[in-house]
Amino acid sequence: MSAGLTGDGIDECVSVVIHGVEHRLHATTARALSDALLKTLDAYNDQVRAVLADPALRALLPRVPSDELIV
């Protein structure tokens, strides 16, 4: 994934490349996408925190070596 500004003369001002596919977005659309992704990630993190807080549920999670975790 990469993001950058498009060149002059292009209506859309933000270029986002995901899996090799370029998407050109207006700044307001890029901001709305960013806000939606953050909201979704926050909800996911809340779910993970709830599972980790419950010892019974935490015991069901696979043991992943710390060097393999993505942080």
Side-chain angles (χ1 to χ4, degrees):
M1 194 247 112
S2 66
L5 299 176
T6 60
D8 291 339
I10 298 175
D11 288 340
E12 292 80 3
C13 58
V14 177
S15 171
V16 179
V17 179
I18 302 172
H19 296 292
V21 178
E22 181 184 25
H23 305 272
R24 292 183 178 177
L25 309 170
H26 289 279
T28 53
T29 304
R31 171 57 69 184
L33 175 60
S34 174
D35 291 346
L37 287 170
L38 288 171
K39 183 178 178 180
T40 300
L41 290 170
D42 287 344
Y44 172 78
N45 286 331
D46 289 344
Q47 291 176 351
V48 171
R49 280 188 208 96
V51 169
L52 293 176
D54 184 334
L57 291 176
R58 188 176 187 154
L60 298 174
L61 295 175
R63 303 277 185 235
V64 177
S66 59
D67 61 333
E68 293 183 22
L69 293 175
I70 299 173
V71 180

